[in-house]
Amino acid sequence: MPINIPDGLPAKSILHQERIFALEEEVAAKQQIRPLRVAILNLMPTKIETETQILRLISKSPLQVSCDFMRTSTHESTHVSADHLVKFYDTFDKFQDKCYDGLIITGAPVEHLEFDQVDYWDEFCKIVDWSQTHVLSTMFLCWGAMGALWHLYRIPKRILGKKLFGVFPQRLCDEYNFLTNGFDEVHYMPHSRHAALDTVELAKHPELRVLSEGFNSGPAIIATRDFHEIYVTGHFEYGRDTLADEYWRDFHKGLPINLPQNYFPDDDPENQPIFTWRAHANLLYRNWLNWVYQMTPYDIDQIPAEITRLRANSDGMVDKF
């Protein structure tokens, strides 16, 4: 797809090498269509790697998408240069008066902490609250999903006795849902986390539907009936080698780390992992952008009114279930 991303972003040259078409900003501005506007709140320490992974998935849709990157102002990133952040990222104050068709909030390696112990928790909550009225649809990933579900619904997380680490099979719960349309009955998703959702509390919220769930890894994709909020507890965005890089990083540091499950052929970390989740990852993001494109108003300033309309319709749907 023609994806419009800032000139000079490292991800652009990588995507060009993968034969993914990325528009130059000047060319995109001349096209007689309104591109979808998607903001990305990148909470991962590996900013450039995460940017590339998410943009790679967004690029698989035939729609033109313009992406803006957001960062928190209450946390100092140490794994990426300050120049990169200044050049390509803005803090929330630059976004709060704007509307967006979509927002992606990534995970962060902080799930072992209580939510209020995370140094940017208050700012995270402020951004989630803003998305409720200014973004047509938000996709929350891993810790971002856990944090938003706690903030909006008071669904707690629980610390696991052992890190959930590997690629796990997920069972499709609703084959006719628009978001998972085209999914196989079993699909795979990478997970790398120390916490899980409290499924007893989750079941108390009929406005939230579990669209796929792991046989051992718990709910995988959750969404409100109007798709205003989408929660993905794993990492569909991960590349083939992301879990391998994490494994070898901790191994060489002498940290306790188990082999990721269902990942290395013959459980041999010298073997190249098999990319078993790529097709469904592409499909999820394509379905999401397709839904956003069909529902978003042409006048982007009308998004708050459209959110209100969709929410009212979905409230009626919940009553029927």
Side-chain angles (χ1 to χ4, degrees), residues 139-319:
M139 187 179 293
F140 301 92
L141 310 181
C142 199
W143 180 86
M146 295 181 190
L149 286 168
W150 170 248
H151 176 60
L152 295 175
Y153 300 96
R154 282 299 184 259
I155 299 172
K157 62 181 174 69
R158 57 182 178 84
I159 300 299
L160 298 172
K162 178 182 177 182
K163 182 179 181 180
L164 187 70
F165 187 42
V167 181
F168 297 90
Q170 322 288 323
R171 177 182 66 87
L172 184 64
C173 301
D174 185 356
E175 63 179 301
Y176 300 109
N177 191 279
F178 190 96
L179 198 64
T180 51
N181 182 34
F183 272 48
D184 292 327
E185 290 189 12
V186 175
H187 65 88
Y188 292 85
M189 181 185 291
H191 292 268
S192 178
R193 50 186 166 89
H194 294 274
L197 294 173
D198 186 323
T199 54
V200 173
E201 290 299 317
L202 175 62
K204 296 178 181 179
H205 293 271
E207 66 271 35
L208 297 171
R209 302 189 70 182
V210 176
L211 304 185
S212 78
E213 62 182 355
F215 297 95
N216 300 308
S217 55
I221 304 173
I222 306 164
T224 55
R225 296 177 188 276
D226 58 358
F227 300 136
H228 183 229
E229 303 152 26
I230 298 161
Y231 302 93
V232 183
T233 63
H235 289 283
F236 257 153
E237 77 279 5
Y238 273 7
R240 179 199 300 272
D241 297 317
T242 307
L243 291 177
D245 292 342
E246 182 177 342
Y247 169 77
W248 286 116
R249 179 199 67 199
D250 288 355
F251 178 84
H252 289 305
K253 287 182 178 180
L255 300 174
I257 182 72
N258 293 320
L259 282 172
Q261 297 182 53
N262 311 312
Y263 182 59
F264 292 116
D266 300 322
D267 279 339
D268 184 347
E270 299 295 339
N271 290 333
Q272 184 183 65
I274 299 174
F275 209 159
T276 57
W277 62 95
R278 176 166 48 191
H280 285 91
N282 289 332
L283 188 54
L284 176 68
Y285 278 74
R286 186 179 300 175
N287 286 347
W288 176 56
L289 290 171
N290 187 16
W291 180 86
V292 170
Y293 177 75
Q294 292 187 39
M295 303 306 298
T296 196
Y298 186 83
D299 182 356
I300 202 165
D301 291 330
Q302 294 301 312
I303 282 179
E306 183 64 18
I307 292 171
T308 300
R309 186 188 72 80
L310 290 172
R311 184 171 291 154
N313 289 343
S314 66
D315 287 344
M317 291 174 61
V318 170
D319 294 339

Side-chain angles (χ1 to χ4, degrees), residues 40-43 47 68-77 80-82 84-95 120 123 127:
I40 301 171
L41 173 59
N42 189 355
L43 301 174
K47 292 283 189 289
D68 296 329
F69 291 95
M70 186 191 306
R71 63 180 176 88
T72 58
S73 61
T74 44
H75 177 78
E76 182 178 352
S77 296
V80 66
S81 70
H84 183 83
L85 293 176
V86 169
K87 188 173 182 180
F88 298 113
Y89 283 74
D90 286 312
T91 52
F92 176 59
D93 59 295
K94 302 292 185 181
F95 290 80
Y120 50 80
E123 187 175 7
I127 293 169

